[in-house]
Amino acid sequence: MSKLELEQEFEALLNYLKEDLCCDLTIYKRLTVVRRFKHRMLELKINSYTDYLEYLKNHPQEYLHLSNTVFINFSSFFRDRDSWGYIANDIIPKILTNKQSKEPIKVWSAGCASGQEAYTIAILLAEILGIEQYLERVQIFATDIDKDALLQARQGCYNKLEVADINSYLLLKYFDKKFENNEQYYIINFNLRRKIIFGHHDLAKNAPMSKIDLLICRNVLIYLNSETQTSVFVRFHFALNHNGFLFLGNTESLVKSEDIFSLINLKHRIFAKGENLTLQQHLLIIPTTQRKKKVITSNSTDETQICKTAFKASSYGAETDKNLHQNISSSVDLHL
Ligand SMILES: C[S@@+](CC[C@H](N)C(=O)[O-])C[C@H]1O[C@@H](n2cnc3c(N)ncnc32)[C@H](O)[C@@H]1O
């Protein structure tokens, strides 16, 4: 088969996924997607994209396998511990200094996978603010395109191996133990959990959140092609508060978007909201969600609701939160 024919077969497969299953894989780096398909086809002993397309059409459950293969959703608590230390000791205090008394603190964990990232920031905020202030002020939106991963995230239940990176003091304080099927599980504390809204959201298609103080999007953008990355960065700019921060993964950078963010710390990949968007950039924000036939997993109310909640405006008094800030020592012992 010629290279062109091979490409045409692959395009037909991508087209079916996009048009019939509302799963647009053209936003990802092509080589990565090809590698993932080959991996899955090898598992099924299928040799051509056309045969795989037939298989996909005849086995609806295959879509779930495919999405598990394509959307790598590995995550862990305090992933890149040093960077979380920097967030705790430098960025959160900055966010609090810029806030008025009792003003809400909004965080968005975009591409949260099975929830570890959202719970990590929740633990840090609860440690810094104290649980009362955390409950009063913090709202965390945690979103992902992968519904299976979100299911685990919502349950907030992890095995021994998954919590291995959490310091024993924090583990005892923020998790309840459950013993089941001869295995020890750790369930995130109810108080911490109830300030986190998990929702289905496609970064490349759905409307962004708004008024976010800290936007965490780690190890997601590396999979997106450069055009999609650019439009996602524009959405992130829109999502952030004037004094907001963006926290990327340790291997990620702001391809072609340096002008709309300013660098705060290169090692930890932390950026502040920069220059205003141009009209052209604004146009990139318009959501392109298509609701089509035969959607296997889509639950549109989920994404609509999470955006509505995120859009709610805040109105608080003018007093800055000096007292609280004074309680935060220059280096917070977070038992990291
Ligand atoms: C490697 S995980 C990263 C998890 C977590 N942020 C971390 O660093 O530990 C990448 C996640 O991005 C999600 N993802 C991929 N494409 C996405 C998209 N277009 N919109 C939202 N999430 C996406 C995947 O489903 C997966 O859960």
Side-chain angles (χ1 to χ4, degrees), residues 233-292:
F233 282 128
V234 169
R235 284 154 198 261
F236 284 175
H237 183 283
F238 173 87
L240 282 171
N241 255 335
H242 182 59
N243 295 316
F245 294 96
L246 173 65
F247 179 24
L248 299 180
N250 276 7
T251 56
E252 293 166 320
S253 57
L254 286 167
V255 191
K256 296 190 223 151
S257 303
E258 291 90 350
D259 53 334
I260 54 171
F261 290 95
S262 53
L263 181 65
I264 300 291
N265 187 299
L266 183 63
K267 181 173 171 222
H268 301 302
R269 299 292 198 273
I270 293 162
F271 304 85
K273 183 163 171 157
E275 282 173 25
N276 288 340
L277 298 179
T278 61
L279 178 62
Q280 212 176 8
Q281 285 167 327
H282 263 293
L283 293 175
L284 289 174
I285 301 172
I286 296 168
T288 54
T289 315
Q290 294 165 4
R291 293 180 179 90
K292 292 208 170 167

Side-chain angles (χ1 to χ4, degrees), residues 76-177:
S76 62
F77 290 97
F78 296 98
R79 190 175 184 178
D80 305 318
R81 190 166 294 269
D82 283 0
S83 299
W84 285 105
Y86 186 81
I87 287 286
N89 288 310
D90 289 76
I91 299 302
I92 295 175
K94 278 194 178 86
I95 291 172
L96 297 178
T97 312
N98 291 329
K99 288 264 164 205
Q100 296 167 0
S101 177
K102 294 187 178 174
E103 199 179 348
I105 299 151
K106 281 185 171 188
V107 177
W108 180 14
S109 165
C112 66
S114 35
Q116 290 90 332
E117 186 176 274
Y119 294 127
T120 298
I121 188 66
I123 290 171
L124 292 186
L125 286 165
E127 279 295 286
I128 292 171
L129 293 164
I131 197 70
E132 270 181 29
Q133 285 265 344
Y134 170 83
L135 291 173
E136 263 174 42
R137 300 179 63 186
V138 172
Q139 184 66 75
I140 300 171
F141 303 100
T143 62
D144 203 282
I145 198 170
D146 184 341
K147 297 220 162 181
D148 275 358
L150 283 171
L151 213 64
Q152 195 195 343
R154 285 193 183 100
Q155 284 165 352
C157 179
Y158 301 92
N159 65 29
K160 226 172 167 176
L161 216 65
E162 289 170 311
V163 298
D165 285 338
I166 306 176
N167 161 290
S168 53
Y169 165 82
L170 296 177
L171 195 59
L172 197 68
K173 191 167 174 186
Y174 293 108
F175 289 81
D176 302 317
K177 282 187 190 173

Side-chain angles (χ1 to χ4, degrees), residues 4 10 24 53 142 169 174 207 284 290 323 325 334:
L4 183 68
F10 192 64
D24 184 3
L53 177 55
Y169 165 82
Y174 293 108
L284 289 174
Q290 294 165 4
N323 292 340
H325 191 60
L334 287 163

Side-chain angles (χ1 to χ4, degrees), residues 27-28 71-76 79 111 113 117 144-146 201-204 218-220 223:
I27 62 169
Y28 299 98
F71 306 132
I72 302 271
N73 48 33
F74 171 80
S75 188
S76 62
R79 190 175 184 178
E117 186 176 274
D144 203 282
I145 198 170
D146 184 341
H201 183 278
D202 182 343
L203 284 173
R218 314 196 70 226
N219 309 301
V220 181
Y223 301 112

